[in-house]
Amino acid sequence: MTSSRFGGALTAAALLIAQPALAHVSFENGQANPNSTYKAVLRIPHGCDGKATLKVRVRIPEGIVAVKPMPKAGWKLETAKGAYVKAYQVNGEAVSEGVTDIVWTGSLDDAYYDEFVFQARFTDAYQPGATVYFPVVQECDGATEEWTQVPAAGEDPHSLKSPAPGVRVAGLAAAASQVVKAGPLTLEQPWSRATPGAAKVGGGYLRITNTGTTPDRLVGGSFPLASKVEVHEMRMDGDVMRMKPVEGGLEIKPGATVELKPGGLHLMFMDLKEPLKEGQTVKGTLVFEKAGRVEVEYAVRGMGGAPAEHQH
């Protein structure tokens, strides 16, 4: 992949998705449900002052247990284990020790982006509304980036130079899985992501299951803070990730579950009238070919970027 492929001006949609991932190390999903298992996808968007990343170290905070890192092709995976300050209950059993550090060793050129994945359980040590910070250190060839700063009470984490990536524990209302039934269709956990003040597009995500015997098709919707809603997909065109509308709508086959998520199929809220803010909920509708109009409520999560830079 050459830098010239990315040299042109990106569309507003590409900027919305790409910008947050370019500056800081962050998690793909910046929100977890209380007392539940969380899939952490850590994004490393660049090296250290142009130098390749050789190690990625993640410190696991107290109260985060049952940590299982995912092996990564071409990278050596190591963990450190230790005793917890206290025992935590996991599936009815007391857990008093576990993984405290994860280290991936390999090589990631500064020109590329990558993700490092682990699974962990948030215990009841963290109440709804709390934000849990995971210090991360990038070791490069002769340089280091330490993403370890934790904001003081009332301080904006975006004002920090090297903020530790954080995960917010959802409030009780947001944590409850929203399930909407529309005939044979089941719609689960609609959500969106906070947007920068000048952004003109936003993203919508959810899971749709068709329990019927005939297909249906998601053809559009409405969103009060946008002029229109479109269904988009992302796919590789050579070595460039491109995004485009799904022509004719998104088919939901009988017995199938389709997940709209960052980096794949998703909704685009076009021409935003105002920014989407973390913690708010916004009602909207989805329109299906057979099920008709279905009301949903999107929970807006923290700004976390997106899997990769892409172009239309």
Side-chain angles (χ1 to χ4, degrees):
M1 185 184 300
T2 62
S3 59
S4 63
R5 300 294 294 273
F6 294 98
L10 300 177
T11 64
L15 282 171
L16 169 70
I17 294 178
Q19 273 185 332
L22 295 177
H24 301 150
V25 169
S26 63
F27 288 112
E28 178 184 70
N29 180 4
Q31 182 166 283
N33 288 338
N35 205 26
S36 67
T37 298
Y38 168 76
K39 180 182 178 182
V41 180
L42 185 70
R43 297 167 169 168
I44 304 297
H46 54 69
C48 314
D49 295 326
K51 298 181 178 180
T53 299
L54 304 180
K55 282 190 178 182
V56 176
R57 300 176 177 268
V58 182
R59 181 73 178 178
I60 306 300
E62 177 72 22
I64 305 299
V65 303
V67 176
K68 294 182 178 181
M70 180 182 292
K72 187 172 184 63
W75 290 71
K76 179 183 177 182
L77 173 61
E78 300 174 276
T79 60
K81 296 183 178 180
Y84 299 140
V85 173
K86 68 169 192 175
Y88 299 93
Q89 292 293 318
V90 178
N91 297 325
E93 296 184 5
V95 177
S96 58
E97 63 178 8
V99 174
T100 58
D101 295 85
I102 307 172
V103 182
W104 287 273
T105 304
S107 183
L108 174 63
D109 191 273
D110 177 65
Y112 301 118
Y113 156 98
D114 212 339
E115 297 176 337
F116 298 79
V117 181
F118 62 93
Q119 178 179 286
R121 185 173 183 84
F122 280 65
T123 68
D124 56 11
Y126 297 102
Q127 298 301 308
T131 298
V132 186
Y133 294 94
F134 292 74
V136 174
V137 176
Q138 277 179 269
E139 294 186 18
C140 301
D141 185 11
T144 301
E145 288 278 7
E146 297 186 0
W147 305 97
T148 58
Q149 291 181 301
V150 175
E155 185 177 14
D156 182 359
H158 297 98
S159 68
L160 300 176
K161 181 180 178 181
S162 301
V167 178
R168 184 177 183 274
V169 181
L172 293 178
S177 297
Q178 183 189 160
V179 177
V180 178
K181 299 281 189 178
L185 299 183
T186 301
L187 285 60
E188 299 176 85
Q189 297 180 314
W191 66 282
S192 185
R193 179 175 283 138
T195 59
K200 290 300 182 183
V201 292
Y205 317 102
L206 75 159
R207 186 183 302 114
I208 307 171
T209 300
N210 185 352
T211 61
T213 57
T214 58
D216 205 339
R217 194 174 293 271
L218 174 61
V219 295
S222 63
F223 192 74
L225 303 183
S227 65
K228 60 180 177 178
V229 175
E230 297 180 351
V231 184
H232 282 216
E233 63 178 341
M234 292 178 66
R235 63 173 55 187
M236 293 300 297
D237 181 3
D239 57 1
V240 178
M241 182 71 81
R242 298 187 184 276
M243 182 170 65
K244 64 178 183 179
V246 177
E247 298 295 336
L250 175 62
E251 183 181 26
I252 317 295
K253 296 181 180 179
T257 295
V258 177
E259 186 166 2
L260 281 69
K261 59 184 180 180
L265 292 163
H266 57 282
L267 300 170
M268 288 299 293
F269 304 141
M270 313 299 290
D271 301 321
L272 286 176
K273 302 171 185 176
E274 61 183 69
L276 301 178
K277 299 178 181 179
E278 181 179 358
Q280 75 178 145
T281 57
V282 183
K283 293 183 178 180
T285 64
L286 294 175
V287 179
F288 294 87
E289 198 171 65
K290 295 179 180 177
R293 300 179 68 86
V294 182
E295 292 188 0
V296 295
E297 188 169 299
Y298 299 91
V300 181
R301 300 178 181 175
M303 197 184 303
E309 184 173 341
H310 68 285
Q311 293 178 318
H312 277 275

